[in-house]
Amino acid sequence: MTIRTRFWFLAALRWLPTGLVVPVVALLPLERGLSVAEMGAAFALQGVVVLCLELPTGALTDVLGRRPVFVASAVAAVGSYTAFALAHSVGAYMAAAGLAGLYRALDSGPLNAWFVDSVHDDETITDRTATVAKGLSGHASVVGASIATGAVLSGLLVAWAPLDGVESLALPYWIAAGLAVVQVLAALLLMDESRADRPAGLRHAIGQSPRMIGDGVRLLRSSRVLRALVAVELFWGFGIVAFETLTPVRLGELLGDRDEAASIMGPVTAAAWAFSALGVAAVPLLLRRWSMVQVSVALRLLQGSTVVGMGLAMGPVGLVGGLIATYALHSASAAVFETLLHEQVDNTHRATVLSLASMLLHPGASLGGVTLGAIATSASTGSAMIVGGVVLAAAAPLFLVKARHGSRAAGRDAPPMLGRDDGAPAVRDGVEAIDE
């Protein structure tokens, strides 16, 4: 089994459980007597935990290794899914959300970093840039397809409810927990990792984490390009609220019935992620004609436009169509962005920098939630979505930030800039072979 095939298989195991629980994540606590406010307060803990642990766990991944941290994330996922399935109180849901935050923080980076490391360490691969780009693009397709498949299976499980004594809405969580156990075993078998440059013990790894965090911060200070790419996540976090959080609200307004909107969102979410998988499959074709920077700018502008279109939609069909178009660009944009980010960092600090980028997503989303929520309340939900789309598109110029002459990117020789003065495409070498 090739490195890329193992990478995609492990990604499918990681994201299929997410698809299973997405349709019931809000319905189960409400069914068990929690109010919307109590549910929101409990789930907010997940974001707090991720924000606090994102960077330390990224540094731990760089010091201890990719495989042990990815396995630990799957173990935490088993605990989280099980806790959600058993929770019947606000305190229990807060504990489950805390575990979810732990596994999300641990999960941020190790699998992708392992794949990129493996490609760079494989001497038989001559065109590493193309191999990484194709692998990450395929990963995004796998993620979209897995979430879509999980969402469909979740609906079937709830409708069928084959197990006596198990609540139908809790069944997807039990299945997700079982799949997370399979993920643990698969990671142990499939993620081979050289231990030559890794310390022997967990205590040493924890002791080295503060140094790795400091190194990551210094890397950002030394690289204009890296700072620009990481800053993209702030805009992304703000804009994602517009179509992930506000779409059900807007759909309920357009239909005049929140229950009907809730019933429609399940299959719509599955369809959106399916189109996301199709959209990212087109990335290799785009990169044959244009550079990664050009594609990144275009995709951000287009996605911002589709979100604005959702805000302007006057009926449910237009809103759903806009959501599907938004998701068709969603994973494609993320795949190209991550490829550019990987080009700016070496193996030693890869997971730390990935965590730095991911960490900025959360304050961006928090700011977006507060700001867009206030706009939706004072003006309209459509207006809030328009603002979110504009902010999302505003990240596009960050891809054009140039590096200072002679600078080095995150411990390795950097491309001289993302957008080159001579008109030649940056981060382009070998991209022609990406569709092989």
Side-chain angles (χ1 to χ4, degrees):
M1 189 181 293
T2 65
I3 295 171
R4 189 175 63 206
T5 302
R6 284 180 279 162
F7 175 47
W8 290 350
F9 179 74
L10 290 169
L13 279 178
R14 158 63 183 89
W15 289 100
L16 184 59
T18 298
L20 282 167
V21 303
V22 163
V24 300
V25 67
L27 298 177
L28 183 59
L30 296 177
E31 178 73 14
R32 290 176 170 176
L34 272 68
S35 67
V36 175
E38 289 172 333
M39 178 184 68
F43 287 176
L45 185 61
Q46 175 178 328
V48 174
V49 172
V50 173
L51 181 61
C52 293
L53 296 182
E54 182 75 66
L55 192 52
T57 55
L60 187 67
T61 300
D62 278 330
V63 179
L64 184 62
R66 317 313 192 194
R67 183 171 69 172
V69 175
F70 185 68
V71 169
S73 74
V75 172
V78 174
S80 175
Y81 292 136
T82 303
F84 273 116
L86 295 173
H88 283 80
S89 66
V90 175
Y93 270 100
M94 291 185 71
L99 282 171
L102 174 61
Y103 98 73
R104 290 294 299 272
L106 289 167
D107 175 70
S108 179
L111 181 59
N112 290 26
W114 168 80
F115 168 69
V116 178
D117 288 350
S118 298
V119 171
H120 282 286
D121 292 341
D122 191 337
E123 296 181 356
T124 65
I125 298 176
T126 57
D127 197 342
R128 292 179 174 86
T129 298
T131 302
V132 168
K134 186 172 182 179
L136 294 177
S137 297
H139 170 267
S141 293
V142 169
V143 170
S146 298
I147 294 176
T149 301
V152 172
L153 291 175
S154 180
L156 294 174
L157 285 169
V158 171
W160 183 30
L163 300 178
D164 293 335
V166 177
E167 296 172 84
S168 60
L169 292 177
L171 186 56
Y173 276 106
W174 290 115
I175 303 298
L179 287 173
V181 172
V182 176
Q183 180 188 331
V184 172
L185 299 176
L188 292 172
L189 290 172
L190 299 179
M191 290 181 74
D192 52 341
E193 183 176 31
S194 172
R195 302 291 300 175
D197 57 348
R198 306 291 184 194
L202 178 61
R203 179 180 298 179
H204 180 77
I206 293 174
Q208 289 295 309
S209 291
R211 180 183 63 81
M212 296 299 296
I213 293 172
D215 287 348
V217 174
R218 283 190 289 273
L219 291 175
L220 286 183
R221 293 176 60 185
S222 65
S223 172
R224 297 174 64 191
V225 174
L226 192 57
R227 287 198 304 272
L229 289 174
V230 170
V232 167
E233 291 286 73
L234 279 171
F235 291 83
W236 172 240
F238 189 103
I240 200 172
V241 175
F243 61 89
E244 278 202 346
T245 303
L246 296 182
T247 297
V249 180
R250 179 65 172 159
L251 184 59
E253 293 172 353
L254 294 175
L255 291 172
D257 188 334
R258 291 182 179 177
D259 291 339
E260 184 180 358
S263 66
I264 291 174
M265 279 305 300
V268 166
T269 300
W273 277 105
F275 274 89
S276 178
L278 293 175
V280 76
V283 167
L285 299 177
L286 297 175
L287 293 179
R288 291 186 64 186
R289 184 174 179 85
W290 297 287
S291 73
M292 290 188 186
V293 172
Q294 292 170 328
V295 172
S296 295
V297 171
L299 289 175
R300 293 288 167 168
L301 291 174
L302 285 172
Q303 189 173 35
S305 300
T306 59
V307 177
V308 170
M310 292 173 64
L312 295 172
M314 301 302 293
V317 174
L319 180 68
V320 170
L323 181 67
I324 290 175
T326 297
Y327 270 90
L329 301 165
H330 176 80
S331 293
S333 181
V336 181
F337 165 79
E338 188 173 343
T339 302
L340 286 173
L341 191 63
H342 280 298
E343 286 295 311
Q344 299 298 315
V345 64
D346 61 9
N347 289 3
T348 305
H349 302 95
R350 192 177 307 283
T352 302
V353 172
L354 287 176
S355 291
L356 279 168
S358 179
M359 186 176 68
L360 289 183
L361 180 76
H362 299 285
S366 297
L367 179 61
V370 173
T371 304
L372 298 183
I375 295 173
T377 301
S378 61
S380 68
T381 306
S383 298
M385 298 182 86
I386 291 172
V387 172
V390 171
V391 172
L392 184 62
L398 290 171
F399 291 102
L400 302 174
V401 171
K402 299 178 181 179
R404 292 186 179 90
H405 180 69
S407 66
R408 297 172 67 88
R412 59 177 291 176
D413 290 329
M417 57 192 67
L418 285 182
R420 294 175 56 176
D421 288 335
D422 60 5
V427 198
R428 174 77 177 183
D429 295 340
V431 171
E432 288 77 8
I434 198 171
D435 61 334
E436 291 182 354

